[in-house]
Amino acid sequence: MQSEIAKDTVATAEKSPLELLQETKASVEAIITKLLSIKQQGTPKSENRELLTQMFLNFINLRQANRAILIEEEKLKTETELAKSPVDFTTLELHNLMYEKSHYLKATKASRDFKSMYPNIDLISEQDFFSDAPEAIKSQTLSNDSSHDLMLKRLNFELHQRKELCKLRVRLEQQKKCLIETNAERNKFLSSLPVHLKSLKKASLPVQSQLSLQNQKKLKYHNLAELLPPPLYVIYSQFMALKEAFEENIDVEVSGSLNDAQSYARQQAEQNSENLRMEIDDEDDDGKRQRKRPKKEGSDEEGLYQVNPLNVVLHVYDDEIPDSKSHKPVVLKFEYLLKLNIVCVGIEKSQDGAEKNILCNLFPEDAGLEPPHQSAKLILGNDHAFDESRTSRPYKWAQHLAGIEILPEMSPFFTDKDIQNSDTAKDFAFASDHRNVQTVLQRIRSQKKTQLTLV
């Protein structure tokens, strides 16, 4: 009996708790069934003791199976807890990665939807990147993907350029600030300069008077300019203003006899006073007394081509030569014909005919062979011929510089195409386009340069 119990105990130890529980349950049920059958049949109760012993053994097995199940449950719970920790950690990492993914997706969408202030400015091209980028940027390895690595390098180079431009901007702003301060100081000095110059001039007058330091040549020209006829005075004042305002490389002189000019000015003043007196007498006599008109001069050329005693001489130097005054300038002489009321221009000190052609070709359709206005044509006669043997000619541009307004013989605003293309309309257009003294000087220098090139 004991050997059987020992065998059952060894077999029980080899079985799993669930199998032991099921077998014990079946054994208990079989013992109870057997006890019930003995009781019902009334058989001797000698076997009951053994059955009870087996029952108790089964109860012991039940407790053992129950304990083994509880121990296994605790073991599984412990293993479950140990396995749950890495799962929770992995789940947390998954949630973090999903959050980062959503953040990157939002940032990418925001970057793609961003509208720059300068939408037409693209990233630097690959060719410019390889040619201009420094080696420190090109030698970096930022990604395993070649295209992505190139894009990152281009972006780094773009950032490098922007930083350099920001530094340049700061330097330029500082330079601008310094220049503004310098200009403010200079403007302050210039604003106070007239007062200082006035006081200096006033203080230096006695010294100049004592040492005779005044520019006698300039004073002489100014004194002579006061006796110039109005057309020549207009020319003289324009060229002097151009020289003083723009430092033009020219010299302007007034030549002629001062005594003759003064005598002519007195004659003109006496003649004007006589004419005024005669007009007053005519008005007093109620128009009965006719005004004595001066006799019309004949057609003698000496009277027609009478020249004012004074004339204006213009020396035009080349601007492109550093020491231009050491070279031969173009010397123009402006004369005023009293009878014809025109200004004539000629070139002085001309050794050959090359420089004479400068004025003839200065402006198109202005060779100076025709009187510039209708009154001169009537005085010269039917042939309207101007003396071609004279060195100076009445160019139209000279009349415009002298302020002699020439009205066209017919209105230039007629709609007739033939009249618009007439010489009168062209003269009117010429008068409106060539009043600038700078244009005349530029063309004189250009013609001079062309002549030298041809020579």
Side-chain angles (χ1 to χ4, degrees):
M1 183 68 181
Q2 292 178 355
S3 62
E4 293 179 359
I5 294 172
K7 291 180 180 179
D8 293 339
T9 304
V10 174
T12 302
E14 294 177 355
K15 295 179 181 179
S16 65
L18 182 60
E19 292 177 351
L20 180 60
L21 181 62
Q22 292 176 354
E23 291 180 357
T24 305
K25 176 184 176 184
S27 178
V28 170
E29 290 177 352
I31 293 171
I32 292 173
T33 304
K34 192 173 182 179
L35 288 174
L36 289 175
S37 65
I38 292 173
K39 186 177 181 180
Q40 291 175 358
Q41 294 176 3
T43 58
K45 299 181 180 180
S46 59
E47 296 180 1
N48 288 341
R49 186 176 183 85
E50 184 179 355
L51 293 173
L52 289 174
T53 301
Q54 293 180 359
M55 179 69 72
F56 289 140
L57 291 174
N58 289 327
F59 283 152
I60 292 173
N61 292 333
L62 285 174
R63 289 177 62 87
Q64 183 181 358
N66 188 21
R67 183 179 297 170
I69 289 172
L70 292 175
I71 292 172
E72 187 70 22
E73 182 181 359
E74 290 295 331
K75 183 180 179 182
L76 291 176
K77 284 183 178 179
T78 304
E79 291 178 355
T80 303
E81 290 294 335
L82 294 175
K84 185 179 178 181
S85 178
V87 172
D88 293 340
F89 180 75
T90 306
T91 304
L92 181 61
E93 285 186 344
L94 177 62
H95 286 302
N96 291 336
L97 291 174
M98 295 298 293
Y99 176 76
E100 289 182 2
K101 178 182 177 182
S102 62
H103 174 72
Y104 287 136
L105 290 176
K106 290 181 180 178
T108 303
K109 186 177 183 301
S111 299
R112 290 178 177 176
D113 296 340
F114 176 75
K115 293 183 179 179
S116 174
M117 187 182 297
Y118 308 100
N120 297 327
I121 300 178
D122 297 330
L123 189 64
I124 186 171
S125 62
E126 296 182 6
Q127 182 179 1
D128 295 338
F129 169 76
F130 287 115
S131 61
D132 300 337
E135 291 296 332
I137 296 177
K138 290 190 292 184
S139 61
Q140 293 178 348
T141 303
L142 304 176
S143 177
N144 296 327
D145 188 1
S146 60
S147 60
H148 185 58
D149 182 69
L150 178 60
M151 177 61 69
L152 293 178
K153 291 179 181 179
R154 291 168 63 191
L155 289 174
N156 288 339
F157 182 54
E158 185 79 15
L159 179 61
H160 173 73
Q161 284 185 325
R162 290 176 183 269
K163 289 181 179 179
E164 293 297 327
L165 289 176
C166 290
K167 294 179 182 178
L168 178 61
R169 178 185 176 185
V170 172
R171 291 197 300 269
L172 292 178
E173 286 180 350
Q174 293 177 353
Q175 185 178 1
K176 178 183 177 182
K177 184 178 179 181
C178 295
L179 291 176
I180 290 175
E181 293 176 354
T182 304
N183 289 336
E185 294 177 358
R186 291 180 178 179
N187 289 332
K188 184 178 179 181
F189 171 74
L190 291 176
S191 61
S192 61
L193 186 60
V195 179
H196 297 301
L197 291 177
K198 187 176 181 180
S199 60
L200 179 62
K201 182 179 179 181
K202 184 176 181 181
S204 63
L205 286 177
V207 179
Q208 291 182 6
S209 177
Q210 184 68 24
L211 300 178
S212 301
L213 296 178
Q214 294 183 352
N215 192 342
Q216 300 296 332
K217 185 177 182 180
K218 188 174 182 180
L219 293 177
K220 176 184 177 182
Y221 290 157
H222 287 344
N223 293 332
L224 289 176
E226 295 177 357
L227 300 175
L228 286 172
L232 293 183
Y233 185 82
V234 171
I235 294 177
Y236 175 81
S237 62
Q238 287 193 70
F239 284 113
M240 286 298 297
L242 182 65
K243 180 180 179 181
E244 295 176 0
F246 299 98
E247 298 182 356
E248 191 69 30
N249 198 6
I250 58 175
D251 285 332
V252 187
E253 301 176 358
V254 179
S255 63
S257 175
L258 177 61
N259 296 330
D260 294 342
Q262 291 175 346
S263 300
Y264 179 77
R266 286 193 296 269
Q267 292 177 3
Q268 289 295 109
E270 293 174 358
Q271 184 176 358
N272 292 334
S273 61
E274 180 68 19
N275 292 336
L276 180 62
R277 186 183 61 79
M278 294 177 64
E279 289 177 0
I280 294 175
D281 293 340
D282 291 340
E283 291 177 358
D284 293 338
D285 294 340
D286 295 331
K288 293 182 181 179
R289 182 178 178 182
Q290 294 184 356
R291 177 184 175 184
K292 294 182 180 179
R293 300 182 180 274
K295 294 183 180 180
K296 186 176 180 180
E297 294 290 339
S299 59
D300 58 302
E301 293 185 358
E302 184 177 357
L304 290 178
Y305 296 103
Q306 184 180 358
V307 180
N308 189 274
L310 299 179
N311 50 67
V312 177
V313 179
L314 174 66
H315 299 261
V316 181
Y317 299 94
D318 194 350
D319 281 337
E320 297 180 357
I321 301 175
D323 188 11
S324 58
K325 293 192 176 182
S326 63
H327 293 74
K328 181 180 178 182
V330 179
V331 182
L332 277 68
K333 182 178 180 180
F334 293 85
E335 298 177 340
Y336 177 66
L337 303 186
L338 302 174
K339 298 295 183 180
L340 300 177
N341 189 25
I342 57 177
V343 174
C344 296
V345 189
I347 295 182
E348 287 190 338
K349 302 178 182 179
S350 177
Q351 301 297 333
D352 50 11
E355 290 186 354
K356 294 182 179 180
N357 296 328
I358 292 178
L359 300 182
C360 297
N361 301 324
L362 202 61
F363 292 102
E365 299 181 3
D366 188 12
L369 300 177
E370 183 180 3
H373 49 76
Q374 188 66 23
S375 60
K377 294 179 181 179
L378 294 176
I379 294 174
L380 289 174
N382 295 330
D383 53 353
H384 301 164
F386 190 82
D387 188 5
E388 298 181 6
S389 62
R390 297 178 61 86
T391 57
S392 58
R393 295 182 181 180
Y395 299 100
K396 295 177 182 178
W397 57 267
Q399 318 307 315
H400 305 319
L401 293 184
I404 299 176
E405 299 293 339
I406 302 174
L407 294 177
E409 298 178 7
M410 61 182 67
S411 176
F413 302 104
F414 288 162
T415 57
D416 193 341
K417 185 176 180 180
D418 295 334
I419 297 178
Q420 286 286 345
N421 294 330
S422 64
D423 294 337
T424 305
K426 292 179 181 178
D427 292 344
F428 184 83
F430 180 91
S432 61
D433 292 336
H434 300 92
R435 296 179 182 270
N436 195 344
V437 291
Q438 290 180 324
T439 304
V440 174
L441 293 179
Q442 291 174 0
R443 298 206 175 189
I444 290 173
R445 292 189 176 107
S446 177
Q447 290 290 334
K448 176 67 175 180
K449 185 177 181 180
T450 304
Q451 295 289 346
L452 293 177
T453 304
L454 293 175
V455 172

